[in-house]
Each structure stands twice: as C-alpha cells, then as structure tokens.
Amino acid sequence: FSGLTITGIGAHTLQFSSTTPAATVNSASFTVVAGAPTSIASNSVTTQSANAGTAVAAPPSVIVRDAGSNPVSGVTVNFAVT
C-alpha cells in the first residue's frame, strides 16, 4: 500500500474497497500512541513579571511533542526562575 499514511494519535480503522468486483472490508480497530518526546515549546506567554510572592498573570506552560508533532502527555517538565 504505497502512499498509505495514518496521521494523529487515537483509535483508527482502515477501510479497503474495490469496484470490480464490488467489495469492502474494514480492518480491526487499532490505536496509534504518541512516541518518545523530541521537542518542547512554550505554550504560554514567556515574558511576564510579578512581585515576589505573587503569581504571574498566565501560569507557565509548555507543550511536549514527539517526532510526528503529536502532543506527549505524562512528561516531567521542570521550570526554573532565571
């Protein structure tokens, strides 16, 4: 199946069909999961300030992605004030 591409994480089912003879068959359901983390990027404002002991207006957040640009959950991220 040259050119077959599956994009996005989650549950998928493939459907194959032909016209002569007319036939259709579905694959079993399968799940695509995110791969290992390969990148991290800011997901919130990166230039903000606040008085010591108070919170910044927008909580810091990042998004971690795999090689296919899918979000990867459950990754430990450490923040540091510099």
Side-chain angles (χ1 to χ4, degrees):
F1 300 102
S2 66
L4 176 65
T5 302
I6 299 170
T7 58
I9 57 176
H12 296 276
T13 303
L14 300 178
Q15 183 178 71
F16 301 92
S17 61
S18 65
T19 54
T20 306
T24 301
V25 64
N26 292 324
S27 72
S29 180
F30 60 94
T31 301
V32 176
V33 298
T38 59
S39 68
I40 185 170
S42 174
N43 199 38
S44 65
V45 176
T46 58
T47 55
Q48 54 184 337
S49 62
N51 292 329
T54 64
V56 292
S61 72
V62 296
I63 188 160
V64 178
R65 296 186 180 274
D66 67 6
S69 199
N70 298 302
V72 180
S73 63
V75 177
T76 299
V77 175
N78 296 311
F79 289 87
V81 177
T82 60

